[in-house]
Every structure is written in C-alpha cells, then in structure tokens.
Amino acid sequence: IGGGGGAGGYHTGTSSISGPSPISVVIGSGGFGGPAASGAASNGGVGGDSSWNSISSAGGGYGGGAYGQTGGDGGSGGGGSVAPGAASGGGVSAPDTQGNIGGNGSPSVNYGSGGGGGAGAVGQNAGTNGGAGGGGVQLPATFRNPVSAPTGAAPTPSPQRGGGLGTPGPGGSFYIAGGGGGATYEGGNGGTGGYGGGGGGQGPPHAQQFRGLSNTGGGGGGGRTSSGTGRGALGGSGLVLLAYPT
C-alpha cells in the first residue's frame, strides 16, 4: 500500500554563457515503483535530476513501499506508507528548497498511504483514503504560449491532461511538478494526483494507478500491492525550458 511519488524539484535561475560552445541539457527520468519485496527493499527509486549549465533540479522522492516505510527525500518528498508503524513523508533534498514534503501514512492498518509532495504544496496525510498529491506550480508567463497549452482528454480518475506543456490547474494551464496520490487497500479511494502531472493512487473503486505525466516531473501514483498491476506507477520525466534575450 504505497505512498505517492514526490514531484521533481522546481528551480529557476539565470546563467551566463560565452560562445559559441555546446552546453548539455539533461532531462531526468521519472522514478520507478518498488519491487515485490518486504521492508526497505519494497521502496521504489528516486527520479533523475534535470539540469542545464549551472542550474539543476532534483528528482522526486519515492513513495514508501511496504508497511511502515518512510517516503524518500527528493525535489519533493514521497508519501509515507500505512501502519503498522505509520510512516512519515519524505523531505526535500535540495538545499535551495525546490518543493515540499510528502504526506504521512494512516495509523490504521490497510487504509491509506500519504500523497507525494508537489512543487506548490505539501502531500496530504492519509486517512481511509490515500493522501492526495501536492499541487504543482504554474510556469512563468514567458512560457505560456497558447499554442502549447494542454489539450489531451482527462483519464479517469486522474485529473491530469497532457498533450501540450504542463496541465490545467487552478489558475489556468501550464502547471508542472504535481505529486502522486497515495494508495489505499480497503474502505476508501486512492488519492488524487496533484495538478501539474501527478498520477492518482490505486484503490477501490478503481483498480488502476496512474503514471506521472511525461515532461512535467509529476510523481507517480502509489500501488496497492507489491507485484503485477499493484506496483507503484512510474514518475513523469522532467523538463528544461530556456529563455534568452533577442
């Protein structure tokens, strides 16, 4: 009954270059769901870092796997798993605070695990339901070209829509870095993914967990079991956006 994955870190900045000279752009991969195992071995993996020149964003933290596992640290922390020994959410690994902490797992056995943190909000603590993933952030106006707005159909029960740059959110479109929702086993629903690409967690009445949306850094939804279709979902890959004077 896994916690939701934390979103990748959101980091803005300026960097001087002299050229012409090649500069690598690194896009971090999304974190992966934990394997069929017990204890700490059931935890997934953190997402990869994204970077350009001297500016770097940390990958998201993993959601806690088997009972009582703490969420992993990352750009935003992953959600903690459920009781016994209800675990806390992961923290923020980057020194410049690129995100938020994950939510705590429920103290009641077989209920919900915490949601992953998002760049704009903490992951929610779990109760009967899995904790919701923390919301992401809206990109600066420079990058909000209407031609690149999200257009894809929303999969149920995840609220995310892709097909462009980011996802819809409370202030319009172009949101990234939402946390994944935590799973639940009985009596409730999986947590919703945070706006900005976070995937929803698994649990009744639906039997599916959702991946974080590619190119948003969104966290993956937590899974109900440790194998097969119950494993935690993959996180979304990161992105790097550049603006320069002309």
Side-chain angles (χ1 to χ4, degrees):
I1 310 174
Y10 177 74
H11 189 188
T12 63
T14 59
S15 182
S16 299
I17 59 173
S18 60
S21 61
I23 298 177
S24 297
V25 176
V26 178
I27 304 296
S29 60
F32 58 87
S38 59
S42 66
N43 293 329
V46 299
D49 297 348
S50 296
S51 63
W52 177 82
N53 208 13
S54 62
I55 302 171
S56 179
S57 292
Y62 56 78
Y67 293 109
Q69 295 300 305
T70 300
D73 296 345
S76 283
S81 63
V82 70
S88 59
V92 177
S93 62
D96 47 358
T97 310
Q98 300 176 3
N100 289 280
I101 62 173
N104 299 336
S106 169
S108 300
V109 177
N110 286 347
Y111 278 16
S113 291
V122 300
Q124 296 299 296
N125 297 336
T128 304
N129 299 324
V137 294
Q138 190 175 38
L139 290 168
T142 299
F143 300 107
R144 297 181 213 161
N145 185 341
V147 175
S148 302
T151 58
T156 302
S158 171
Q160 308 308 337
R161 292 190 305 157
L165 181 58
T167 78
S173 291
F174 303 102
Y175 281 81
I176 61 169
T184 190
Y185 194 78
E186 58 186 26
N189 300 321
T192 57
Y195 52 84
Q202 189 179 27
H206 56 87
Q208 184 177 358
Q209 66 279 46
F210 288 86
R211 296 182 177 187
L213 193 64
S214 296
N215 303 126
T216 65
R224 293 176 67 198
T225 62
S226 60
S227 61
T229 58
R231 290 183 59 175
L234 298 173
S237 54
L239 76 162
V240 173
L241 299 174
L242 303 178
Y244 52 88
T246 57

